[in-house]
Amino acid sequence: TFFQCALTAALCLGLSLGAACGPPCSGLPALRLDPKVSRSVLPLSAVFIGMVTSNNLCLKHVGVAFYNVGRSLTTVFNVLLSYVLLKQTTSLYALLACGVIIGGFWLGVDQEGAEGTLSWTGIFFGILASLCVSLNAIYTKKVLPVVDGSIWRLTFYNNVNACVLFLPFMMLLGEFRTLYHFDKLGSPSFWGMMTLGGVFGFAIGYVTGLQIKFTSPLTHNVSGTAKACAQTVLAVIYFEETKSFLWWTSNLMVLGGSFAYTWVKGLEMRKVQEDPNIKSGERNETGV
């Protein structure tokens, strides 16, 4: 993960240096490391590290197909954080949709246990990942003004900060010793896959930031739900797995609850836009 963050920062810097060379890089802003801006982005970077690390650890302990259910509580955490941090209440119908998501989560956990593939460690990191994904979207929206709304600069600062923050964790967890004894450090195919993963990580991070900038954290999480649906089906097909009816029901509950929540919030946002006399507090309520 450190390597992917370092590669993303290097790609941002390298492409920005090509800005003076004309198209296709002419529209990219020049990048320089400003300690003041870096400190302002630091809270987002801390959440980003938690998100990426917990995602990886969840995926380490659960199958790709169950990964969607294991970290499906992002929408629920959106509601909780909106209330705790922003004092925004949520409508009854939105809460009912969250209830469906939670029900699907618990049914999925039960079915994984019935199949003998349940990992409570994976579940823990999945819940933590859900929390961090929700916080990451909120903090991205909050920090954007610090970098003048530039996703390019935000991606650069966020990944530079992440590289610095990862180092003490790697030292404390003994990963440098593991790396020293790793037998694939001289393998071109290993570094080829690592580089490809870094390029995908760079693309995902940049597009995610753009989506949050031009829409909202809610919209980002909705598209993530649609992605999870395709990911689950592809994983079952690719790994030639056979799943029970209740297992699929848990996935449908999670996806259905997520889309129902989106539909309810969409109706509330439309109501806010159509009614100019609505209270400012209610207007803010539907914006997350």
Side-chain angles (χ1 to χ4, degrees), residues 40-243:
S40 299
V41 178
L42 197 58
L44 171 63
S45 303
V47 172
F48 172 75
I49 282 183
M51 178 185 72
V52 176
T53 303
S54 53
N55 271 332
N56 288 345
L57 290 172
C58 176
L59 196 55
K60 178 182 178 180
H61 293 283
V62 304
V64 178
F66 183 67
Y67 178 68
N68 167 42
V69 175
R71 49 180 298 278
S72 61
L73 300 180
T74 300
T75 301
V76 178
F77 279 118
N78 273 353
V79 172
L80 291 174
L81 291 172
S82 296
Y83 181 76
V84 173
L85 300 179
L86 306 175
K87 305 303 179 186
Q88 295 175 0
T89 57
T90 303
S91 67
L92 176 61
Y93 290 116
L95 289 176
L96 288 175
C98 289
V100 174
I101 296 171
I102 295 172
F105 171 79
W106 281 115
L107 181 59
V109 170
D110 177 72
Q111 290 304 298
E112 282 292 302
E115 294 183 4
T117 54
L118 178 64
S119 168
W120 284 107
T121 303
I123 296 298
F124 168 77
F125 284 117
I127 294 173
L128 184 60
S130 298
L131 172 62
C132 290
V133 167
S134 180
L135 284 171
N136 183 73
I138 292 171
Y139 273 99
T140 297
K141 198 79 171 180
K142 184 177 181 180
V143 170
L144 269 170
V146 176
V147 291
D148 301 322
S150 171
I151 296 298
W152 201 254
R153 294 183 67 201
L154 182 63
T155 302
F156 173 70
Y157 277 104
N158 191 30
N159 282 274
V160 168
N161 283 349
C163 287
V164 175
L165 292 174
F166 266 127
L167 290 173
F169 284 114
M170 293 164 65
M171 188 176 297
L172 287 171
L173 297 174
E175 293 203 353
F176 287 111
R177 184 180 302 171
T178 304
L179 192 63
Y180 179 77
H181 295 288
F182 189 55
D183 60 354
K184 290 185 174 62
L185 283 181
S187 168
S189 61
F190 169 75
W191 287 109
M193 293 300 293
M194 287 285 284
T195 302
L196 183 62
V199 171
F200 278 129
F202 164 77
I204 291 169
Y206 186 71
V207 172
T208 295
L210 278 178
Q211 185 181 49
I212 295 171
K213 175 183 177 180
F214 289 110
T215 58
S216 69
L218 173 62
T219 303
H220 167 63
N221 291 330
V222 171
S223 67
T225 301
K227 179 269 299 179
C229 179
Q231 176 180 284
T232 300
V233 174
L234 287 173
V236 171
I237 295 172
Y238 181 83
F239 293 106
E240 299 179 348
E241 298 175 341
T242 302
K243 299 296 184 181

Side-chain angles (χ1 to χ4, degrees), residues 208-280:
T208 295
L210 278 178
Q211 185 181 49
I212 295 171
K213 175 183 177 180
F214 289 110
T215 58
S216 69
L218 173 62
T219 303
H220 167 63
N221 291 330
V222 171
S223 67
T225 301
K227 179 269 299 179
C229 179
Q231 176 180 284
T232 300
V233 174
L234 287 173
V236 171
I237 295 172
Y238 181 83
F239 293 106
E240 299 179 348
E241 298 175 341
T242 302
K243 299 296 184 181
S244 68
F245 173 77
L246 287 178
W247 189 93
W248 284 109
T249 301
S250 72
N251 277 266
L252 290 174
M253 287 177 67
V254 167
L255 294 170
S258 299
F259 280 117
Y261 178 85
T262 308
W263 182 66
V264 170
K265 297 300 285 186
L267 290 178
E268 292 175 359
M269 288 181 182
R270 188 178 304 171
K271 182 179 178 181
V272 169
Q273 293 170 352
E274 292 175 353
D275 188 353
N277 299 318
I278 197 166
K279 295 178 182 178
S280 59

